[in-house]
Amino acid sequence: LVAGCGGSPSATESKDIKIGGNFELTGGVATFGQSAANGIKLAFKEINAAGGVLGKQLVFVAADNKSEPSESTNATTKLITQDKVVAILGAVASTNTLAAVQVASDNKIPLITPTSTNPKVTVDNGKVRDWVFRSCFIDPFQGTVMASFASKSLKAKTAAILTDNSSDYSKGLTQVFEESFAKAGGKVVSKEAFLQKDQDFKATLTKIKAANPDVIFIPAYYEEVGRIVKQARELGITTPLIGTDGWDSPKLVEIAGAQPLENTYFSNHYSPEDKDPKVVKFVESYKKEYGQTPDALAALGYDAALMVADAIKRAGAADPAKIKDALAQTKNLQLVSGIITLDADHNPIKSAAIIEMKDGKQVFKEKVNP
Ligand code: PHE
């Protein structure tokens, strides 16, 4: 260091490589951010124990976005300007990631979301965002999987959709489901909406009940889904309730109760019951580290951490622009949630798992390939 220049060593000279995490550690979807961060920490611990990347240790700097978009923007700014990270992992919820992509792009720092499935996250009005990547599939796939499950497996001819209008994720999935269900010969007979933090869904559910749908699609997050499922059953709605990855939380059963969750299904990114050796090994190390079975968020966080480590290695330097170029070339990475090869839109093509809730437990029902 040159005396008087007053700075710390630049990112490329430092013996550590700092990676930021912008996550929902508290607030409405706190189990999402906590699981994703735990998956990342485990991956970094294993990588560091094996010698690190380019001879350097990976350091994870986590920032809490409190499950709010404005806080997600703040957390991203802080990670870049104060902590001087060379890449950012996060956020979980698409709306929160969308609140971060511009800051990352303006500052030329690559951002990899482990879990945000809305298409707009990596593609803005038909133009791919150079600095943004993900390690999960996208909602046009997930929504189609559930529309086809409703029509083929559940033999539903009519559906109702209950949308969270405060979420880009929920609004996007509503559109995809409606289109794919129609293509499969079904009809959406009722469309209702709510907002995050809503408590009472009875009036809305009563309207849906009157439309008498064969299935109700609820593309939303566990807090609201938990309350919706509980209140639907209280109103005597016995039809199958189906949803998407946002249902994946240990809190879902706590909020809804095991019995109301009978006859419900959702799409997800992986199942801890999968016998693939990579899944078995991950589940074992995660349980040892945290005493819990890893949910999909943990698996995707772990995979995103391996994805960024792989990119830094191929970049040959902890330099944000080089990491960005290497990320775009991600190919054939064999990870826990599947094989990752990024397409031109920075999205991997991966399979989905359909989960059934039985006795308050997630049961792996089937795997759906793209
Ligand atoms: N896909 C959700 C979103 O984009 C986030 C999520 C992923 C939630 C995986 C749970 C499990 O908002």
Side-chain angles (χ1 to χ4, degrees):
L1 260 192
V2 180
C5 90
S8 51
S10 77
T12 30
E13 294 158 17
S14 148
K15 60 181 182 1
D16 292 334
I17 299 176
K18 272 196 198 172
I19 313 281
N22 163 26
F23 284 110
E24 291 82 345
L25 300 175
T26 58
V29 290
T31 72
F32 288 170
Q34 291 162 6
S35 284
N38 282 347
I40 293 165
K41 283 187 226 159
L42 177 61
F44 283 7
K45 189 177 170 183
E46 291 174 359
I47 292 168
N48 288 337
V53 177
L54 307 174
K56 300 180 184 192
Q57 295 283 291
L58 298 178
V59 176
F60 182 56
V61 187
D64 181 11
N65 65 35
K66 305 178 185 149
S67 304
E68 301 286 345
S70 59
E71 295 290 344
S72 173
T73 310
N74 295 343
T76 307
T77 306
K78 178 205 162 264
L79 288 168
I80 296 172
T81 58
Q82 260 169 262
D83 301 314
K84 310 254 187 271
V85 300
V86 296
I88 292 180
L89 297 168
V92 169
S94 290
T95 300
N96 296 334
T97 303
L98 283 166
V101 290
Q102 201 54 48
V103 186
S105 305
D106 290 347
N107 288 282
K108 300 194 181 328
I109 294 294
L111 181 158
I112 305 105
T113 170
T115 55
S116 292
T117 44
N118 186 279
K120 289 183 289 183
V121 167
T122 54
V123 180
D124 178 27
N125 276 317
K127 200 186 162 297
V128 63
R129 297 186 203 265
D130 289 337
W131 295 88
V132 184
F133 306 85
R134 72 178 118 214
S135 55
C136 53
F137 55 60
I138 56 173
D139 289 331
F141 170 60
Q142 176 169 218
T144 306
V145 164
M146 288 319 283
S148 133
F149 177 77
S151 121
K152 296 210 180 82
S153 304
L154 300 176
K155 312 258 177 282
K157 298 260 179 296
T158 58
I161 308 180
L162 189 41
T163 308
D164 172 355
N165 264 345
S166 39
S167 149
D168 292 284
Y169 158 80
S170 192
K171 289 188 282 188
L173 278 164
T174 296
Q175 204 187 333
V176 175
F177 183 90
E178 199 172 6
E179 287 165 13
S180 334
F181 191 62
K183 267 192 211 146
K187 192 170 188 282
V188 174
V189 292
S190 169
K191 279 175 82 177
E192 294 294 334
F194 62 94
L195 293 173
Q196 243 154 63
K197 303 195 175 101
D198 278 1
Q199 299 291 326
D200 189 346
F201 299 90
K202 292 225 161 139
T204 308
L205 287 166
T206 302
K207 280 197 224 162
I208 292 179
K209 191 181 179 191
N212 196 26
D214 296 333
V215 67
I216 306 175
F217 179 57
I218 314 161
Y221 300 137
Y222 62 89
E223 285 270 350
E224 289 77 20
V225 172
R227 295 195 275 272
I228 290 167
V229 169
K230 183 166 188 274
Q231 293 172 28
R233 299 311 191 210
E234 281 166 9
L235 286 172
I237 298 173
T238 54
T239 48
L241 308 174
I242 64 173
T244 40
D245 55 358
W247 287 38
D248 187 18
S249 170
K251 288 255 178 188
L252 180 70
V253 186
E254 274 175 43
I255 300 167
Q259 182 53 37
L261 280 165
E262 293 297 304
N263 204 16
T264 69
Y265 308 84
F266 64 96
S267 50
N268 210 351
H269 301 263
Y270 108 117
S271 163
E273 290 171 45
D274 195 322
K275 294 293 168 261
D276 181 291
K278 281 183 299 300
V279 176
V280 173
K281 183 171 168 279
F282 166 69
V283 171
E284 204 176 287
S285 348
Y286 191 95
K287 275 190 180 160
K288 203 166 146 214
E289 185 79 10
Y290 302 109
Q292 278 174 344
T293 301
D295 54 20
L297 291 301
L300 289 171
Y302 184 86
D303 284 357
L306 293 177
M307 191 170 146
V308 79
D310 166 76
I312 297 172
K313 207 188 289 167
R314 285 184 294 105
D319 170 71
K322 290 185 181 155
I323 298 172
K324 180 234 348 160
D325 291 341
L327 278 168
Q329 301 299 320
T330 301
K331 249 190 231 78
N332 206 20
L333 266 190
Q334 319 266 333
L335 303 178
V336 173
S337 60
I339 300 169
I340 299 193
T341 296
L342 292 187
D343 67 13
D345 289 340
H346 296 176
N347 300 323
I349 313 285
K350 292 155 78 188
S351 44
I354 296 182
I355 308 292
E356 175 176 8
M357 293 303 296
K358 265 208 169 120
D359 300 322
K361 298 219 164 49
Q362 293 192 8
V363 179
F364 177 52
K365 200 164 161 60
E366 58 190 89
K367 194 166 184 167
V368 185
N369 295 315

